[in-house]
Each structure stands twice: as C-alpha cells, then as structure tokens.
Amino acid sequence: MSTSTSAQATETASGLRNAQLWRWRVVDIVVASVIAVACALIFLLWNVGYQGPSALLEPLLPGVQALVNGPWLIAGVLGGLIIRKPGAALYTELVAAVISALVGNVWGPLTIVSGLVQGLGAELIFLLFLYGVWKLPVAILAGAAAGVACGINDIVLWYVGADTAFTVIYIASSTVSGAVIAGIGAWLIARGLAATGALSRFAAGREVAARV
C-alpha cells in the first residue's frame, strides 16, 4: 500500500476516537468560513426569490410551499461534506444564518435560531455515521434531517396553531426539499469543487482526484 493511500485511509477512517478528527486546522476554519459566506449570499438571494415559487405552490396544497426551503439548508450539508470535522455542518449553517440576519431580512434575529436548528439536523446525521462516511446517501440523509429540523422550527415559530394536515405536509415537503436541494445539491457542488483541484488539501478533494 502506498504512503498516500495509507494517509488517505487514516484520514477518512470512521470512529470518534481518531484524534485527527477533532483537530481543526487553520485551513479548515478559513474554508468553512468561505463556504458560510458563499451560502449566505445564496440565502440573501433566496430570501427574495422564494416568494414567487412559494406563491405558486401554496394554493395547490397548504403546506407544500415548504418545498422552497432547500436553498436555506445547503450550507450545513456542504460544510460537513467538505470539512469533515465535528461541528462543521453546524458552523457553516449558523454563520451563514448570522450573516443573513445581520444584512437584514423579514425574519430578523430568528434567522439565527433557524440556522442553529438546521445545522444541528445535518450535524446529527454526520455524527450518526461517526464522521466517516461521505457518500451521496449520507448527504441526502443530512439534507433531509436539516429539512425536518427546518419544518418543525417553522411550525413552532411561524405557524402556531396549524392543523395536523398542514403540519404533516409542511414538514414532509421541507424534508423532500432538504434531501434533494441541500443533500444532492451540496454533494454535486462538493464534487465539482473537488474536480477543479480547489479542495486538494481536503480528503474530499483527494478522493475525487484518486478516481481520475
């Protein structure tokens, strides 16, 4: 086995006992912050852009407008897939939400609460797999979990007193949106960035390069 292969195997080994897993390098912090800022720009655009699709969906079936939630969930999944450290999903989603709140939107400081909850949703999936599995199904599950968290949070904060049918449809729609847009979307973005060589200092980048 080559030295590079051995290093890769060690770096991607599952299990919370791996000491390297818990050590954030400077490059990890910098890149996670860049991801958060980039996703915050997406949030800011979608804070306005979601209104059209939402207005079209809502009359079809009350609650199905949550299908537009996906773009707000992508930061955590993308950060987790690239950084691959405990807390990365929570960090990127939360920082992106803080930026969105500071710039200004109709939800105000509660945007930060949403970012915290959504980031935790994705983080729990990566934790479930002991930060050692980074394949598409895990990304989809992380996006779906962020969607569930988002849906529940929205019901609690913005739809108090909603009936059971609306609640179920809303959370289910948010889950689907998270799985597809945040899960598959983040996985494709991560692979696309890796293919350019931009992630050469991360296991995510070296894995793609090894397949070429």
Side-chain angles (χ1 to χ4, degrees):
M1 182 181 291
S2 67
T3 302
S4 61
T5 303
S6 298
Q8 182 178 347
T10 300
E11 196 168 354
T12 59
S14 62
L16 299 179
R17 291 176 296 178
N18 181 0
Q20 293 296 324
L21 180 68
W22 297 93
R23 295 180 185 148
W24 279 59
R25 304 167 298 172
V26 173
V27 69
D28 295 327
I29 298 171
V30 171
V31 172
S33 300
V34 170
I35 292 169
V37 171
C39 289
L41 294 177
I42 295 174
F43 290 4
L44 293 172
L45 292 174
W46 197 237
N47 288 346
V48 177
Y50 88 96
Q51 297 179 42
S54 181
L56 292 174
L57 290 169
E58 189 170 358
L60 300 178
L61 186 65
V64 79
Q65 67 264 34
L67 287 172
V68 306
N69 288 350
W72 288 309
L73 310 175
I74 200 167
V77 183
L78 184 59
L81 289 175
I82 291 176
I83 306 301
R84 299 187 177 184
K85 301 282 186 180
L90 176 59
Y91 176 84
T92 49
E93 187 73 34
L94 183 57
V95 172
V98 169
I99 294 171
S100 178
L102 290 175
V103 172
N105 59 53
V106 298
W107 304 284
L110 288 177
T111 302
I112 300 173
V113 176
S114 296
L116 175 64
V117 171
Q118 292 158 191
L120 280 173
E123 190 75 46
L124 287 173
I125 296 300
F126 295 130
L127 173 61
L128 180 65
F129 287 91
L130 304 180
Y131 300 100
V133 182
W134 307 100
K135 298 183 182 298
L136 177 58
V138 175
I140 293 173
L141 285 174
V148 171
C150 175
I152 294 173
N153 184 69
D154 285 357
I155 292 295
V156 171
L157 292 181
W158 309 111
Y159 298 102
V160 178
D163 60 30
T164 302
F166 179 92
T167 299
V168 171
I169 293 169
Y170 190 93
I171 294 174
S173 298
S174 184
T175 303
V176 170
S177 184
V180 175
I181 299 176
I184 297 176
W187 189 79
L188 291 173
I189 291 171
R191 284 183 64 84
L193 289 172
T196 69
L199 303 179
S200 60
R201 298 186 67 180
F202 296 86
R206 291 190 287 275
E207 283 178 3
V208 172
R211 296 191 188 103
V212 177

